[in-house]
Amino acid sequence: MKGNTRDQPAELRRRPLARVVLASSIGTFIEYYDYAVFGAVAPIIASLFFPSSDPTAGLLATFAVFGLAFVLRPVGAFIFGPMGDRLGRKKTLIIVIICMGLGTFIIGFLPTYSQAGIFAPILLVAARLVQGLSAGGELSGASIYVAESAPQNRRGLMTSWLQVANTVAFLPGLAIVAILESVLSDSAMDSWGWRIPFLVAGPLAFIGQYMRRRLEESPVFENIVAAGSRTRAPLKSTFTNTATYKDLTFIVFYGAATFVGFYFILTYLPTFVSTTLNYNSNFGILVVGAFCVGSVVAIPVAGLLSDIVGRKPVSLASCIGFFVLAYPAILLLKPGNVVLAVVAGLLLAIPTSGFQAVLLVTSLERFSSPIRYTGYGVGYALLSAIFGGTTPYVTESLTSASGNYLMPAYILMTAALISLVPTIFMRETAHRRLVDI
């Protein structure tokens, strides 16, 4: 005789996984939509908020502001991580998405340097700080919620859809900018057109928080509450455990290639194509588009594969592929040929997709349920701050200083080697239940 579902352990109840993934993904969609838009209009923002006789200096200042949001991620993780472990995954994700949307939305209303002087860049920094703080609890919390709601043998696949959402988010972001640049004059784009993509984030955040309110709490968190094992001081519990520091170090170096590759391609590459290779920015958007299309197909395949053969084999293959393919991919961009550009985007998509598919699930599987949001959130935020936000700035600096257009390839290859070391020594966690970790 079948028992009442109310009497079953929470992790055994059927969950509407499609709704779980969609509601969880919309917050990360907004986050990465913002990155795409900010990167695509970076030259305009540089001229409007950081006027300078040296265009490179203004661009570097803009990318520094972009990176500032990543620096604040660990602070956001210290705020939202304990909140997620005490109050629950659902409540925290609702708060996060509201902050996330506001941080992007208000950029569309900011005055420029000619209108407000020094207050213009200050307000821009403030908006990025709000976005950075909320990002500290968004993707980590969303991936935890999905993983804790997914069947054990499909955790890799289900969490990989969040990375698909991240990648897909760049397409509308870049497309909106490309359309505006095509239909508007340069003066109109500089005057008000650049604001439109940021304003789109407002309605998206409203829809997202509504969707998240309709979700149930994570089944694993429900079990924590039912068992009375919820911790009162997640930060203390996390950082008095010596194993935490090992796990944090692992996440930072394990994810290096993912973040360097992802943010080079999807945030910096359009600027690299227009300023270093001297092609139209739409050429760079074409490369990004090819990358996104390839990633959308490859990420869930790699996620499913990690459920079957394990996280480690997929990670090793991605490291090797990234090191081997980075150089020829950048080399193919130089001729300015459309076909070669598409091939370059697809070459970069193959190893990056493998990394993306397993990064989230591999990282969160290292932490026990009562401190998972805090420990994993801090680790992922540190990874973002060190290798995410710095990538556009460092790449632009080294490429400009060296005058070598292949410098990005060397940076990507170095990141692959950094990730290879922890990958070799990582333990396999694919077949463990999250409630047992």
Side-chain angles (χ1 to χ4, degrees):
M1 178 177 176
K2 294 183 179 179
N4 191 305
T5 56
R6 289 182 176 271
D7 299 324
Q8 295 178 17
E11 74 270 21
L12 297 182
R13 298 180 200 154
R14 290 179 60 85
R15 298 279 166 146
L17 292 179
R19 193 173 72 180
V20 165
V21 172
L22 185 60
S24 300
S25 299
I26 193 167
T28 59
F29 181 95
I30 295 172
E31 177 184 353
Y32 285 84
Y33 167 86
D34 169 84
Y35 296 152
V37 170
F38 198 92
V41 300
I44 297 176
I45 291 177
S47 64
L48 294 177
F49 289 85
F50 303 98
S52 172
S53 57
D54 182 1
T56 299
L59 197 57
L60 286 173
T62 303
F63 282 131
V65 173
F66 174 83
L68 187 62
F70 288 80
V71 174
L72 266 291
R73 276 190 174 197
V75 179
F78 276 100
I79 296 172
F80 293 112
M83 189 183 297
D85 285 325
R86 287 199 307 265
L87 302 181
R89 311 336 188 187
K90 173 184 171 179
K91 291 180 180 178
T92 304
L93 285 172
I94 292 172
I95 296 171
V96 166
I97 196 172
I98 293 173
C99 296
M100 178 78 63
L102 284 176
T104 303
F105 183 68
I106 60 179
I107 292 179
F109 291 102
L110 294 182
T112 63
Y113 191 90
S114 64
Q115 296 169 330
I118 191 63
F119 289 104
I122 291 175
L123 291 173
L124 178 63
V125 168
R128 295 299 296 170
L129 292 183
V130 173
Q131 210 275 346
L133 286 173
S134 55
E138 173 53 48
L139 185 53
S140 56
S143 56
I144 288 171
Y145 184 86
V146 172
E148 291 182 345
S149 302
Q152 177 189 335
N153 63 345
R154 287 295 179 266
R155 273 201 312 263
L157 172 63
M158 300 310 294
T159 55
S160 72
W161 285 110
L162 290 170
Q163 297 286 38
V164 172
N166 297 346
T167 306
V168 169
F170 277 80
L171 292 176
L174 294 173
I176 290 174
V177 173
I179 292 171
L180 289 171
E181 288 181 339
S182 299
V183 301
L184 297 178
S185 64
D186 290 344
S187 60
M189 189 67 186
D190 292 346
S191 175
W192 55 270
W194 67 272
R195 299 178 183 275
I196 295 176
F198 291 104
L199 297 177
V200 172
L204 286 176
F206 178 80
I207 295 170
Q209 64 85 27
Y210 171 76
M211 293 174 64
R212 287 182 173 181
R213 288 181 187 278
R214 298 183 63 199
L215 293 175
E216 299 178 66
E217 181 52 87
S218 150
V220 172
F221 187 78
E222 287 181 354
N223 283 341
I224 294 173
V225 174
S229 57
R230 180 167 36 172
T231 177
R232 293 179 178 272
L235 277 175
K236 181 179 179 181
S237 299
T238 299
F239 290 99
T240 53
N241 185 347
T242 55
T244 296
Y245 300 96
K246 179 181 178 181
D247 291 331
L248 293 179
T249 302
F250 170 84
I251 292 175
V252 169
F253 291 101
Y254 172 71
T258 309
F259 270 74
V260 172
F262 187 83
Y263 286 102
F264 164 73
I265 298 163
L266 295 179
T267 299
Y268 177 71
L269 195 141
T271 300
F272 168 74
V273 166
S274 61
T275 60
T276 302
L277 300 182
N278 297 315
Y279 295 122
N280 186 284
S281 59
N282 284 340
F283 182 77
I285 293 175
L286 174 67
V287 181
V288 172
F291 171 85
C292 290
V293 171
S295 296
V296 166
V297 175
I299 289 173
V301 172
L304 178 60
L305 191 61
S306 77
D307 285 325
I308 299 172
V309 302
R311 320 297 186 213
K312 187 170 183 175
V314 175
S315 301
L316 284 171
S318 300
C319 284
I320 297 170
F322 210 77
F323 185 84
V324 172
L325 297 176
Y327 187 90
I330 301 301
L331 198 64
L332 289 174
L333 295 177
K334 180 63 174 175
N337 181 279
V338 171
V339 175
L340 294 181
V342 170
V343 173
L346 294 176
L347 285 179
L348 291 170
I350 295 171
T352 308
S353 297
F355 278 128
Q356 287 181 268
V358 296
L359 172 62
L360 302 179
V361 69
T362 301
S363 299
L364 68 87
E365 285 172 340
R366 299 181 71 88
F367 293 92
S368 62
S369 300
I371 62 167
R372 181 168 293 131
Y373 208 136
T374 302
Y376 166 51
V378 170
Y380 192 82
L382 288 172
L383 165 63
S384 303
I386 295 171
F387 289 108
T390 59
T391 293
Y393 185 92
V394 170
T395 307
E396 170 67 16
S397 299
L398 293 179
T399 303
S400 297
S402 66
N404 185 353
Y405 79 95
L406 287 171
M407 181 57 66
Y410 303 137
I411 294 174
L412 295 174
M413 294 167 72
T414 300
L417 292 178
I418 292 173
S419 292
L420 180 62
V421 176
T423 297
I424 291 173
F425 296 101
M426 68 182 282
R427 67 176 185 269
E428 185 59 69
T429 55
H431 307 299
R432 299 177 63 186
R433 296 198 314 160
L434 287 183
V435 292
D436 294 333
I437 296 175

